Amino acid sequence: MSEETSGQEAVAVVGMAGRFPGAGSVPELWQNLLDGKSAVRRFTAEELRDAGVPDDLAAHPSYVPMAAALDGIELFDAEFFGIPSREAQLTDPQQRLFLETCWAALEDAGHPPDRFDGRIGLFGSSSISTYLLGLVAAGEELPPDGISYPLLLGNDKDFLCTRAAHRLGLTGPAVTVQTACSSSLVAVHLAVQSLLAGECDMALAGGVSVSVPQHTGYLYREGGILSPDGRCRVFDAAANGTVRGSGCGVVVLRRADDAVADRDRVNAVIRGSAVNNDGADKVGFTAPSAAGQVEVVREAVAVSGLPAGALGYVEAHGTGTALGDPIEVRALATAHAADGDPPKACHLGSVKANLGHLDAAAGVTGLIKAVLVLREQIIPGQPGFTAPGPGIEPHLDRYRVSAEPVRPLSPIRAAAVSSFGLGGTNAHVVLAAPAPAGERPVPAGTRLALLSARDAEALAMLAAELRDRLADRPDVRLDDVAFTLSEGRTGFAARTALRAGSVPELVGLLGTVAAGGGVPDDPAAAAWLAGGELAPGATGDLGHARRVALPGHPMRRGRHWIDVRPASGAAPATQGPRAEPRLAERVREVLTRMLDAPGLGPDDDFYDLGLDSMRAVETVTLLRDTTGLPLSFEEFDGLRTLTAVVGHLTALAGSADGGTAPPDPAGPRAAKGTGPATTGTGPGTAAHRHLLSRIREGSAPGHVFMVPPAGGTIAAYIDLSRHMSDERTLWALTHPAGKPGEHRSVRELALLYTELVREVQPSGPYLLSGYSFGGSVALEMAAVLERAGERVERVVMLDSHPPEAYVGGSADRLAFLAAFPTLIGQILPGTAPGAADRDAPAPRSVEEAVERIGDPDWSAAVKAELAGFFHTWQDNHEALKRWFPDRRPGADIVVLAAEREENRDIMRALDIRVADRALWARHSAGRVEVRQVPGDHYSMIRAPENIPHLGAAFDRALRGV
């Protein structure tokens, strides 16, 4: 098939711009690539601390304090784009950087939007707004009713392209593309299609990814995609993962015929592109698929009309993983051999070896590199490359990787770019080198160079940048410079016109303007200098001139940033606690009213007097409002007596007023007995001691530790403890508070809980128990303890589903919301939604779900507690989907299984499969026994008629009888 007549209509790359780690522009990036520089660096302890990384995390042996950071993300020229300073502060740095880069790309192309006669489209992508997440986490800038509209518009991905199009005045399609790390190359594909369909006459395509804060690393996890040493060794024998980076890239595209007719600078032409998805034909959602990669490469090559043998370079997805790189090279070889003419000496590379993985900006950055390879006819080396990996070696007869730059003996006619998104969306683009520039006559005479900027200071800066650029490029034509400045720039208020007969003469005039000096006014430019139009022919003969890359309007960036204040962990007191002598009296008033117990004794247990979890939440809220002191529900749950509550709050009041610090949280919890041992097995243990509560003091030696269910609360264990006769001390763990959607894994919870347990009981044998989700965590704790050389006598599970019931479940947040009212109806009889609510559409938010089940008399605190319960419950179920025991502990397991079947509506909604409890035998090297107790999954531990039976069965299980 002919290279000249086949394939889709070509699309020209006429402009490029970007900011990358270690490079503030595309030319700087190219020089760094040629020099073999890696922008990934190790952060200092001070940088990590300033970024909010805890010292204990930074000191963790698996923590890798490395990334490819982007400088100046807090800086932005808000005035240039007419954006108020406050709006700029509320805007994600990704949106700001993307806007600046789009403008720079249009100037690089010589087509500012106000000078272009046609519609300009915009296709782009961004990563998640970590700037917004930081503000939300710290409670910054959030009004009482939640995220404000300006904050939403400035941070949500949906508005990335539409806001840029609004600020730049673009009237073509403005589409935000989200396909994970292939997003920006998919955006290029969609921009090409839009141009070919006539939807726009020019298109910008690109992506941006900025992590906030910048100077943080990551915790290496074996089997993950990230490198254990912070180095991305693409295609190398030592390849072991990738590393994160931040950056932004944008290209400007036009139909090739239009670009030539308009005298644009054609850097390269896109001859074909394709996008597909792996579908289900792979081992898992995040795994790569060789079949999908083969098909997308074949389609793009076929669309291009070029034979695969024409390819001299492929900019690969290349993440530097031992699994992904060989699959990619094998897929390339298979696809290229399909038409019978595979490449004979095709070089491979990946910019990730230099910049790390730029996520949503990765694909377009690879495209920019490939365009530069074709334009400059040189292939940069791969930094750190030593020897090809074993999966690469079989293909070295056709594909080559070099550590040093290579200038091929024969011209590189074509190149290609791959980008494969996590989850399965693959993109591939085939590029051809630009046609050689034809000979052009050089007309005689002078030319008029027009410069304009927003003010005199910016004009001087522009003159200095243009002077330096032209001094470095003596080969540039004067008529090209004059044509670009007159036809390819916006006319701002501050103006000067410089007439010169040569480039060196122009450089001298620019130096005068840069220094603040004056130049003679040119009579031919008088109207333009006054703000009008330039007289025809005033610039001189530009009939053979073309657009060239010249510096654009300088940006005077200022700091537009909201610094997140470190959380204090305690709300400020609304009144002076030390100055309130009636603190004990006020506490007693609140408790007697909420318990309806006028004769409340100093050591009476609140729960023995009938306090339930709902009223406990309201009690805590009222105590906080009355005393002005911070008190969490978990702290109150462990105090349990008037004496303990007053003592704890008095200590807090003294600490808030400069007195002594409050006692160890374990102290008040142990008010009815001895406190826990303090072995301090981990650096973070002290901060979590409030998660361990003694719910019943025993008279016999030994301890029983109970792990919370998915909802994270221990109220059911308190009820159960009243129906037990076992004489050992009973302890309950509470789920640690966290952000919704940032669940801790089962293993992370097990490690945290094990540290707390060992403070109370430094050595085994241990007795562990847990209801539902808690049973799974208890088994993982047993594995942790055994790895530490300890013995776990027994794990008692209260109707815990085996892992086979959860793994691979696909329930999303809407499914959890739909099931939540039914779940609460099971937990709190009488709160199930009515018939009207059952027939209504599924709730779209947790607040809506709570309103459907809520009692009209419920306080805001109770509703907030239910919302928190939902998030913990969902996050823990998500953790179960990702957990499968990696070892079989030797502990015996007793499963107290509900006689009746669990609610099928909830099971279906949450995608939990029915699994025999006896399957736990697969996950323990000890003896596994299943015993039935009355009730279903929920009523067995809550219904008054069932709890005594469960208590008796629990006693027998703990004793091993």
Side-chain angles (χ1 to χ4, degrees):
M1 119 184 353
S2 169
E3 292 183 29
E4 302 301 326
T5 61
S6 301
Q8 71 172 31
E9 182 181 349
V11 170
V13 181
V14 298
M16 299 183 292
R19 283 174 58 192
F20 312 94
S25 65
V26 169
E28 286 182 39
L29 170 67
W30 181 242
Q31 189 60 53
N32 288 349
L33 295 179
L34 294 178
D35 293 342
K37 291 183 178 179
S38 172
V40 178
R41 70 178 184 87
R42 181 177 296 274
F43 303 123
T44 66
E46 183 178 359
E47 286 176 317
L48 293 171
R49 198 172 293 118
D50 289 345
V53 178
D55 289 343
D56 56 342
L57 176 59
H60 194 285
S62 296
Y63 188 76
V64 183
M66 300 179 73
L70 190 66
D71 294 333
I73 63 171
E74 74 283 3
L75 304 178
F76 177 60
D77 193 341
E79 183 181 0
F80 180 82
F81 295 102
I83 297 175
S85 178
R86 185 57 177 164
E87 181 181 333
Q89 281 186 322
L90 294 173
T91 301
D92 183 0
Q94 293 183 120
Q95 284 204 20
R96 304 185 320 205
L97 178 58
F98 187 69
L99 175 60
E100 284 192 350
T101 306
C102 286
W103 172 264
L106 288 168
E107 286 202 307
D108 184 69
H111 287 293
D114 64 317
R115 302 294 302 273
F116 185 73
D117 185 18
R119 293 196 300 168
I120 303 175
L122 177 56
F123 300 80
S125 57
S126 67
S127 298
I128 189 171
S129 177
T130 48
Y131 183 65
L132 174 63
L133 292 178
L135 295 179
V136 171
E140 300 282 348
E141 303 303 321
L142 300 184
D145 57 344
I147 295 177
S148 65
Y149 208 55
L151 201 61
L152 176 70
L153 295 179
N155 289 271
D156 193 286
K157 291 179 179 181
D158 284 2
F159 307 110
L160 174 76
C161 289
T162 49
R163 289 193 84 206
H166 169 68
R167 289 295 173 185
L168 298 176
L170 312 184
T171 58
V175 181
T176 301
V177 182
Q178 297 299 156
T179 61
C181 35
S182 63
S183 296
S184 57
L185 199 63
V186 173
V188 170
H189 168 78
L190 295 176
V192 169
Q193 300 305 309
S194 184
L195 283 166
L196 298 181
E199 296 174 339
C200 56
D201 304 293
M202 185 161 65
L204 295 94
V208 59
S209 180
V210 175
S211 295
V212 178
Q214 282 279 284
H215 299 147
T216 61
Y218 54 89
L219 199 62
Y220 168 71
R221 289 179 173 84
E222 188 174 356
I225 191 176
L226 296 174
S227 165
D229 58 5
R231 300 296 179 191
C232 185
R233 301 177 177 87
V234 183
F235 305 129
D236 195 82
N240 58 6
T242 193
V243 63
R244 299 188 182 107
S246 294
C248 180
V250 174
V251 295
V252 183
L253 308 176
R254 296 193 72 184
R255 290 181 289 270
D257 291 344
D258 293 343
V260 172
D262 217 8
R263 295 190 276 176
D264 291 340
R265 183 191 193 201
V266 177
N267 298 281
V269 293
I270 296 175
R271 292 291 299 266
S273 63
V275 170
N276 73 358
N277 190 269
D278 293 337
D281 186 20
K282 54 183 180 178
V283 297
F285 176 70
T286 61
S289 167
Q293 294 179 22
V294 168
E295 288 306 311
V296 79
V297 172
R298 289 190 63 184
E299 183 178 352
V301 171
V303 170
S304 75
L306 296 171
L311 293 169
Y313 177 71
V314 173
E315 173 65 18
H317 181 67
T319 55
T321 61
L323 173 65
D325 287 3
I327 289 177
E328 181 173 6
V329 175
R330 187 167 63 249
L332 272 176
T334 302
H336 289 164
D339 69 354
D341 185 19
K344 296 177 176 60
C346 181
H347 285 264
L348 302 179
S350 172
V351 76
K352 294 181 181 66
N354 304 86
L355 305 180
H357 196 326
L358 301 190
D359 193 52
V364 72
T365 303
L367 179 78
I368 289 171
K369 179 185 172 185
V371 168
L372 293 170
V373 166
L374 288 172
R375 193 183 79 187
E376 305 298 328
Q377 290 293 302
I378 186 171
I379 300 168
Q382 289 293 107
F385 182 80
T386 56
I392 314 298
E393 287 179 342
H395 306 285
L396 291 180
D397 57 332
R398 298 189 181 278
Y399 301 95
R400 300 173 184 175
V401 183
S402 174
E404 300 297 329
V406 175
R407 189 180 293 277
L409 296 177
S410 301
I412 309 170
R413 293 189 295 158
V417 187
S418 291
S419 191
F420 307 132
L422 191 71
T425 296
N426 308 306
H428 192 72
V429 174
V430 177
L431 300 151
E439 291 293 328
R440 294 180 289 159
V442 181
T446 61
R447 306 289 181 275
L448 195 62
L450 308 176
L451 270 71
S452 71
R454 289 175 61 86
D455 53 39
E457 182 184 0
L459 185 65
M461 294 170 62
L462 175 61
E465 291 183 15
L466 184 56
R467 175 200 60 196
D468 295 343
R469 175 73 63 86
L470 296 179
D472 289 339
R473 293 288 306 273
D475 58 326
V476 69
R477 289 175 46 138
L478 181 63
D479 59 339
D480 287 348
V481 174
F483 177 69
T484 303
L485 293 175
S486 64
E487 299 296 323
R489 291 294 182 266
T490 293
F492 292 105
R495 302 184 176 193
T496 190
L498 309 177
R499 185 169 293 280
S502 67
V503 170
E505 183 182 356
L506 178 58
V507 168
L509 292 171
L510 289 167
T512 300
V513 175
V519 294
D521 290 338
D522 190 292
W528 183 81
L529 289 170
E533 296 296 322
L534 191 69
T539 56
D541 186 357
L542 302 179
H544 300 284
R546 295 173 181 163
R547 286 179 173 84
V548 290
L550 297 176
H553 194 286
M555 292 291 160
R556 289 182 296 193
R557 300 182 176 97
R559 193 174 192 273
H560 297 277
W561 199 259
I562 298 173
D563 289 308
V564 176
R565 294 184 295 272
S568 65
T574 57
Q575 56 183 320
R578 179 70 68 125
E580 175 54 79
R582 298 177 57 246
L583 179 62
E585 183 180 339
R586 285 179 176 273
V587 171
R588 180 182 175 81
E589 287 175 0
V590 171
L591 292 172
T592 54
R593 175 152 51 94
M594 297 305 295
L595 290 166
D596 192 21
L600 177 67
D603 295 316
D604 289 343
D605 190 305
F606 303 148
Y607 291 98
D608 288 342
L609 296 175
L611 184 69
D612 58 34
S613 58
M614 288 297 176
R615 277 193 296 156
V617 173
E618 294 189 275
T619 302
V620 171
T621 302
L622 192 55
L623 284 170
R624 284 198 297 251
D625 292 344
T626 302
T627 66
L629 291 166
L631 178 68
S632 70
F633 175 71
E634 288 79 11
E635 287 172 329
F636 176 80
D637 197 51
L639 297 168
R640 303 186 60 178
T641 69
L642 177 60
T643 298
V645 171
V646 170
H648 184 69
L649 292 178
T650 299
L652 282 176
S655 176
D657 200 42
T660 58
D664 190 304
R669 297 178 192 280
K672 301 182 101 179
T674 57
T678 54
T679 57
T681 58
T685 309
H688 293 97
R689 283 192 188 127
H690 65 282
L691 301 178
L692 183 62
S693 302
R694 178 161 43 200
I695 60 176
R696 194 194 62 185
E697 178 67 26
S699 58
H703 307 271
V704 178
F705 300 95
M706 304 194 71
V707 185
T713 60
I714 61 173
Y717 294 162
I718 294 172
D719 291 339
L720 176 61
S721 69
R722 301 192 186 103
H723 298 277
M724 292 172 55
S725 60
D726 190 274
E727 294 299 324
R728 282 167 286 209
T729 300
L730 190 64
W731 298 83
L733 291 148
T734 304
H735 192 275
K739 305 171 189 174
E742 293 188 0
H743 65 263
R744 290 172 169 84
S745 69
V746 170
R747 290 187 175 90
E748 288 170 335
L749 287 172
L751 287 169
L752 171 61
Y753 292 160
T754 301
E755 286 188 349
L756 295 171
V757 163
R758 296 189 74 184
E759 284 206 0
V760 172
Q761 183 182 338
S763 59
Y766 293 92
L767 280 172
L768 306 176
S769 178
Y771 167 53
S772 192
F773 168 80
S776 299
V777 180
L779 184 73
E780 187 66 31
M781 290 173 66
V784 172
L785 288 165
E786 288 190 5
R787 276 194 288 266
E790 301 292 345
R791 184 170 77 86
V792 178
E793 182 178 345
R794 194 170 296 106
V795 176
V796 181
M797 298 179 174
L798 309 184
D799 208 40
S800 301
H801 294 289
E804 288 80 0
Y806 296 99
V807 172
S810 58
D812 58 15
R813 186 170 185 272
L814 292 179
F816 280 92
L817 285 170
F820 190 55
T822 304
L823 172 78
I824 296 301
Q826 298 285 316
I827 296 174
L828 301 175
T831 60
D837 286 329
R838 284 196 298 269
D839 295 335
R844 306 289 296 185
S845 69
V846 66
E847 291 76 19
E848 183 181 344
V850 170
E851 287 298 329
R852 290 193 186 183
I853 60 178
D855 188 306
D857 295 330
W858 278 357
S859 68
V862 170
K863 293 178 181 178
E865 182 69 18
L866 275 175
F869 175 91
F870 170 83
H871 293 304
T872 302
W873 171 68
Q874 180 188 1
D875 289 345
N876 284 334
H877 274 87
E878 294 286 349
L880 280 175
K881 294 177 192 176
R882 293 163 174 78
W883 175 72
F884 206 82
D886 59 0
R887 63 176 293 166
R888 301 171 70 218
D892 292 341
I893 296 177
V894 178
V895 184
L896 302 180
E899 288 180 342
R900 298 203 309 270
E901 190 177 64
E902 185 170 348
N903 185 290
R904 280 300 182 92
D905 291 339
I906 296 177
M907 296 279 282
R908 281 193 294 268
L910 304 187
D911 198 11
I912 301 173
R913 288 169 288 286
V914 177
D916 192 334
R917 305 297 191 270
L919 287 176
W920 281 112
R922 296 179 178 178
H923 308 293
S924 174
R927 185 168 58 93
V928 175
E929 185 179 358
V930 179
R931 305 175 183 178
Q932 290 194 325
V933 294
D936 63 17
H937 185 73
Y938 302 100
S939 66
M940 62 175 276
I941 197 168
R942 288 180 172 82
E945 66 274 17
N946 293 335
I947 296 178
H949 297 285
L950 179 62
F954 194 34
D955 283 333
R956 291 192 296 271
L958 290 174
R959 294 195 301 268
V961 297

